[in-house]
Amino acid sequence: MFTSFDGPPLILRLYGSAKVINTKDFEWDTLCKLLPSQPGARQIFDLEIDLIQTSCGMAIPYMAYQGERQQLNDWVSKKTPNELEEYWITKNSISIDGIPTMPPET
């Protein structure tokens, strides 16, 4: 779901499925070159969209964009690749709804 916080009111919903591509997957090197470089990037989502819907969004409040936050990039830049992977394994290996988020070890 995407929401417009400035300009005309709009809500956009995308329905479909997604494939998760992790840093160890063979597609990673090709796909990550198509995106802006992001320190600590670990997943790309390849979406297959089946349905797109819009709705008015007239109840969505206005919010002003103030810029990008730099804290995560600063934190990642102080970690070695091994430290970063250990953090992901310790803190991010299971989603909030109990689904594994890391690829199985090969």
Side-chain angles (χ1 to χ4, degrees):
M1 186 168 104
F2 300 87
T3 304
S4 172
F5 291 111
D6 62 5
L10 181 66
I11 296 172
L12 173 70
R13 291 180 178 87
L14 305 176
Y15 298 89
S17 59
K19 177 183 175 186
V20 178
I21 298 161
N22 293 288
T23 57
K24 295 178 183 176
D25 292 332
F26 75 93
E27 305 104 322
W28 178 264
D29 288 335
T30 301
L31 292 175
C32 74
K33 292 176 185 172
L34 300 174
L35 302 167
S37 178
Q38 182 67 37
R42 66 175 184 233
Q43 296 173 328
I44 296 172
F45 295 95
D46 183 6
L47 306 176
E48 187 172 315
I49 306 299
D50 299 323
L51 177 65
I52 299 172
Q53 289 183 328
T54 60
S55 58
C56 69
M58 290 183 190
I60 303 298
Y62 286 109
M63 296 187 182
Y65 177 74
Q66 298 178 9
E68 299 291 326
R69 295 181 190 263
Q70 191 60 33
Q71 291 96 325
L72 182 59
N73 290 342
D74 293 344
W75 179 83
V76 167
S77 68
K78 296 174 186 171
K79 301 286 183 193
T80 67
N82 287 341
E83 289 173 328
L84 194 53
E85 187 167 359
E86 181 61 32
Y87 180 85
W88 293 339
I89 290 167
T90 303
K91 301 285 188 174
N92 301 131
S93 61
I94 298 176
S95 72
I96 194 169
D97 49 1
I99 298 171
T101 62
M102 305 292 285
E105 290 300 317
T106 55

